[in-house]
Amino acid sequence: MAVLQKGITHRKDGRYAWRFQYDGQAYTGYAKTAKEATRELNERRYEAEHGMFIKEARITVNDWFNTWIETYKTGVKESTKQLYTAIYKRHVAEQIGKRKLKDVRAEQAQRILNKMAKTYSKTTVNLTDVVMIGLFDQAERNGLILKSPMRLVRMPKTESRPKKRALTAAGEKSFLEYAKRGKYYPLYRLASLTGMRIGEICGLQWNDIDNKNGVINIRHALYNGVLGTPKTGSSKRSIPMVQEARTLLREQRRQQAETHIQYAQLWEPNIDNLVFTTETGHSMPYDRIDRSTRKIIEEMKQDGVEIGDGFTFHCLRHCFATRCIENGMDFKTLQTIMGHKTLSMTMDLYADCLPNKQAEEMNKLEAVL
């Protein structure tokens, strides 16, 4: 039988208890194995001797996240802070948020990423990893924990998922017909006419619309109720308006003015001059649009109209790009309109979406090959 370190005892229930005293204060804890108990005893004694244990023992991960995001992320864009907060609340807070900061172990953080890797994209998993690394590394630098648990965490391999494809022209038309029954149709239709992202549409302001030159200037995007700059530098762009887009926006302005009059006493915009707002002038919450989209899909299924699984608002952006290619737009022009950083990004997304078009182009070469 292995000799236990002084201060560690093996309990009848199978656990190992550790205990020590420092400066008149008793410190105790439990572990599943003698090895874990030895490690915890040594780490806690070090923390106590260096003034770390008593002062910060009650800080939870949630407490520290709030301090970290507000104090140490002041140099990033507000939209980035909002994104980090959304990622943390959705994927980290429920799992370890209420735990004491000093008690979080590497395996607990690893399980969060492993679970995400089964259903989320590599980008989302990577971003969650970035948030947790920043969170715990700063805690280590501040002396709140002895060592960041993220040092022992490894990025899991994400499961490959089929690329989301656009609807056929007929499928897109069907979806939009059903969308007309609800109040969010103008947002859906504008997405399909311009390829704008949902954040760009919800963050669109009236002074971004240049009717004289016939373009929509993408200068803002809405992230969790906060108006910020677009996703990347290349996302700042000008999109030419087709006539239907002009008409749609003109009608939206008229309807917004009527709504403003109807709800005059309740009209309190949180952001001025937005094109799309709630009945009280507030910015449009994404969850309302998500619920509307799910409702439309369900209504279509009940009527026997199938458009495939996984359809989201963002799919209308893919529909726009696909319709552009179907009608002969070159990839370089499409890249600019979509706001992609590189031409290769555009081609990776859409070069293989139209096999009939590829066959058509090859047939043109038959006479000269």
Side-chain angles (χ1 to χ4, degrees):
M1 182 175 179
V3 178
L4 298 177
Q5 179 178 328
K6 182 180 178 180
I8 298 177
T9 58
H10 195 189
R11 293 165 51 91
K12 292 182 179 180
D13 62 6
R15 293 184 300 167
Y16 290 80
W18 55 264
R19 178 184 177 87
F20 69 92
Q21 283 195 333
Y22 178 78
D23 198 21
Q25 175 73 36
Y27 301 88
T28 61
Y30 301 93
K32 292 182 179 180
T33 66
K35 184 178 180 180
E36 288 179 3
T38 300
R39 183 188 67 215
E40 289 190 15
L41 184 148
N42 292 335
E43 288 181 357
R44 297 302 178 261
R45 177 180 282 128
Y46 179 94
E47 292 171 350
E49 291 173 351
H50 290 77
M52 297 157 58
F53 191 93
I54 301 173
K55 183 180 178 182
E56 309 298 349
R58 291 186 294 275
I59 290 182
T60 66
V61 179
N62 283 342
D63 293 334
W64 177 241
F65 174 81
N66 293 333
T67 299
W68 176 72
I69 198 72
E70 294 300 330
T71 306
Y72 293 97
K73 306 311 293 180
T74 56
V76 302
K77 294 194 303 184
E78 185 63 29
S79 59
T80 301
K81 289 175 62 176
Q82 292 290 330
L83 179 59
Y84 283 1
T85 301
I87 285 288
Y88 174 80
K89 288 182 177 179
R90 183 165 187 175
H91 302 294
V92 182
E94 289 188 6
Q95 306 299 320
I96 61 173
K98 294 182 180 180
R99 289 182 176 273
K100 293 176 182 178
L101 185 66
K102 65 182 181 62
D103 290 339
V104 176
R105 302 299 176 204
E107 61 269 22
Q108 294 166 340
Q110 186 72 63
R111 281 196 290 268
I112 291 175
L113 298 181
N114 291 349
K115 182 179 179 181
M116 291 180 64
K118 296 178 181 179
T119 54
Y120 288 92
S121 68
K122 184 177 181 180
T123 299
T124 302
V125 179
N126 281 341
L127 187 55
T128 305
D129 185 50
V130 166
V131 170
M132 288 200 292
I133 287 174
L135 182 72
F136 287 105
D137 282 3
Q138 188 64 55
E140 179 184 331
R141 287 192 290 272
N142 284 31
L144 304 182
I145 55 177
L146 184 62
K147 183 174 67 174
S148 169
M150 298 306 294
R151 292 188 187 184
L152 302 176
V153 173
R154 299 292 177 264
M155 274 297 297
K157 183 178 180 181
T158 53
E159 296 182 5
S160 59
R161 293 180 295 173
K163 185 188 297 184
K164 283 190 176 182
R165 297 186 180 277
L167 301 177
T168 63
E172 180 184 1
K173 184 177 180 180
S174 293
F175 174 83
L176 291 171
E177 283 298 319
Y178 275 81
K180 285 181 179 179
R181 303 175 182 178
K183 60 183 177 181
Y184 298 114
Y185 173 76
L187 287 84
Y188 293 121
R189 187 51 175 153
L190 188 63
S192 71
L193 291 172
T194 63
M196 292 170 66
R197 302 177 178 93
I198 185 171
E200 295 168 347
I201 291 177
C202 292
L204 187 65
Q205 294 181 299
W206 286 112
N207 53 9
D208 294 327
I209 299 169
D210 184 349
N211 286 304
K212 181 178 179 181
N213 294 304
V215 297
I216 297 173
N217 295 309
I218 307 301
R219 299 292 180 265
H220 310 96
L222 193 73
Y223 304 95
N224 296 298
V226 177
L227 193 67
T229 54
K231 186 177 180 181
T232 63
S234 57
S235 295
K236 289 185 177 181
R237 62 200 189 278
S238 296
I239 302 175
M241 288 187 287
V242 297
Q243 185 56 49
E244 185 178 348
R246 288 172 177 261
T247 302
L248 182 150
L249 290 168
R250 188 163 54 246
E251 176 62 17
Q252 173 61 21
R253 188 148 210 170
R254 185 191 66 78
Q255 289 190 359
Q256 188 182 71
E258 290 183 357
T259 302
H260 189 176
I261 294 172
Q262 183 178 357
Y263 293 89
Q265 293 182 337
L266 301 175
W267 192 270
E268 295 181 352
N270 59 326
I271 300 172
D272 292 331
N273 211 30
L274 289 177
V275 173
F276 297 103
T277 63
T278 65
E279 295 85 352
T280 57
H282 281 222
S283 56
M284 194 69 72
Y286 290 2
D287 58 351
R288 286 194 184 186
I289 302 169
D290 288 339
R291 287 197 297 270
S292 170
T293 303
R294 290 194 296 269
K295 182 180 178 182
I296 293 170
I297 299 302
E298 184 59 33
E299 289 176 350
M300 294 178 73
K301 286 183 178 180
Q302 290 175 358
D303 291 345
V305 182
E306 294 287 345
I307 59 174
D309 296 326
F311 183 87
T312 64
F313 188 97
H314 193 75
C315 291
L316 291 171
R317 178 170 160 86
H318 295 311
C319 289
F320 168 80
T322 302
R323 301 293 90 81
C324 288
I325 297 171
E326 287 174 343
N327 286 278
M329 181 180 289
D330 65 88
F331 278 101
K332 187 61 180 176
T333 301
L334 181 61
Q335 175 202 344
T336 302
I337 293 176
M338 297 294 285
H340 290 154
K341 190 173 183 179
T342 64
L343 179 60
S344 62
M345 181 184 296
T346 308
M347 296 188 72
D348 286 345
L349 285 169
Y350 302 112
D352 63 345
C353 66
L354 295 168
N356 293 337
K357 185 71 174 179
Q358 294 170 356
E360 180 183 320
E361 294 301 315
M362 287 298 292
N363 288 336
K364 292 180 181 178
L365 296 175
E366 186 175 14
V368 296
L369 290 178

